Amino acid sequence: MRLIIMPESSSAMRLAAAEIASVMTSCASPVLGLATGRTMEGVYGDLVRLHQKQGLDFSSTTSFNLDEYVGLSADDRRSYHYYMNDLLFRHVNISQTNVHLPNGVAADLAQECADYEQAIRNAGGIDLQLLGIGDTGHIGFNEPPSPFDTRTRCVTLNERTREQNAAMFGGDPQKVPDRALTMGVGTILEAKHLLLLALGSAKADIVACALEGDVTPQVSASAIRLHDHCTVILDEASASALT
Ligand code: F6R
């Protein structure tokens, strides 16, 4: 595992964007695994800037997002599909046909998950998977316990995660959907490279747990330590509980 600690959250986000851009320019047809959440907002801002100012080309890029809430459609402002359109896709030259998120309003959720796995395989697998970390130690929405061989599936969200994500739902955790579709830990571990970004002191304890505690399904993010090509970018605040 390559661990990089940057002094500020802004420089950490910039470095994460630069790592993504470097994979994009080194692959003929890059396949990116993308994450959402507050941590990633600045990363996508930087990628848009790299596209607009330095011509970073998304035309041959394919993307697969980690997760989506069950019951929210792409045009719902609270969905992850909306987030991605708003912060990244509509600002760059990515083809909409190359953009993939699990469909949270699919009639058959199990089939949707199986199709998602197949689509990743058809694309040749994910070159770089971007990851955040939740308060429960989740990556994607793999709440504890999530065995390391789990695949894309429908999960029930932990109450703590619903609290963490309540801001988009008027501050009321009960309004956060209680289910989501998420790539599994096994799906994530098959990506060729992993890039985990965590920012801020609120993440310090769970980051220490994931990076220095037991490798266990009780902390999904600890699974990244099993991967041969894994980079973790932290700011000083999120690294503050590391020994
Ligand atoms: C979102 C996702 C989640 C988030 C995590 C951190 O697609 O996969 O694992 O990365 O919950 O969220 P923030 O960045 O909002 O703290």
Side-chain angles (χ1 to χ4, degrees):
M1 187 179 79
R2 187 165 64 117
L3 173 63
I4 303 169
I5 301 172
M6 301 297 283
E8 309 279 345
S9 61
S10 55
S11 48
M13 287 186 285
R14 235 183 350 266
L15 180 62
E19 294 269 326
I20 296 167
S22 145
V23 168
M24 286 174 65
T25 48
S26 64
C27 298
S29 304
V31 180
L32 299 180
L34 299 177
T36 58
R38 273 152 296 181
T39 310
M40 303 305 161
E41 290 173 4
V43 176
Y44 296 139
D46 270 327
L47 285 176
V48 170
R49 191 182 48 76
L50 288 172
H51 170 69
Q52 290 172 346
K53 302 264 192 280
Q54 293 177 31
L56 181 66
D57 182 16
F58 284 76
S59 62
S60 58
T61 296
T62 296
S63 70
F64 289 91
N65 266 80
L66 283 165
D67 42 21
E68 181 60 283
Y69 291 113
V70 169
L72 300 190
S73 60
D75 57 1
D76 188 313
R77 298 182 69 86
R78 303 161 305 177
S79 74
Y80 284 160
H81 205 144
Y82 190 98
Y83 167 111
M84 289 306 304
N85 282 334
D86 192 39
L87 295 184
L88 182 64
F89 298 149
R90 72 187 174 89
H91 304 286
V92 298
N93 64 334
I94 196 164
S95 161
Q96 276 298 326
T97 54
N98 289 344
V99 160
H100 305 85
L101 283 94
N103 178 5
V105 292
D108 183 339
L109 295 175
Q111 188 61 50
E112 171 65 16
C113 293
D115 291 348
Y116 205 68
E117 288 275 331
Q118 188 59 47
I120 294 172
R121 276 193 294 275
N122 291 348
I126 290 171
D127 292 307
L128 176 73
Q129 177 64 58
L130 182 60
L131 298 167
I133 180 170
D135 294 350
T136 62
H138 68 214
I139 46 175
F141 270 141
N142 290 286
E143 303 288 23
S146 285
F148 292 170
D149 60 357
T150 44
R151 313 301 310 186
T152 303
R153 68 204 187 288
C154 184
V155 294
T156 300
L157 295 179
N158 191 293
E159 287 311 312
R160 184 133 174 227
T161 296
R162 294 173 78 201
E163 280 163 28
Q164 178 199 314
N165 291 356
M168 279 302 289
F169 296 84
D172 181 357
Q174 293 310 311
K175 295 208 172 98
V176 180
D178 60 356
R179 289 186 306 156
L181 304 183
T182 182
M183 282 185 204
V185 179
T187 321
I188 291 168
L189 290 178
E190 280 174 10
K192 294 173 191 102
H193 293 87
L194 302 182
L195 173 59
L196 185 137
L197 174 67
L199 306 173
S201 56
K203 296 284 164 84
D205 287 342
I206 195 64
V207 163
C209 201
L211 301 189
E212 294 181 339
D214 292 342
V215 175
T216 165
Q218 293 297 339
V219 183
S220 302
S222 67
I224 68 170
R225 285 155 57 197
L226 301 174
H227 199 286
D228 287 339
H229 302 284
C230 173
T231 301
V232 175
I233 301 177
L234 306 175
D235 61 358
E236 277 181 1
S238 65
S240 58
L242 293 176
T243 54

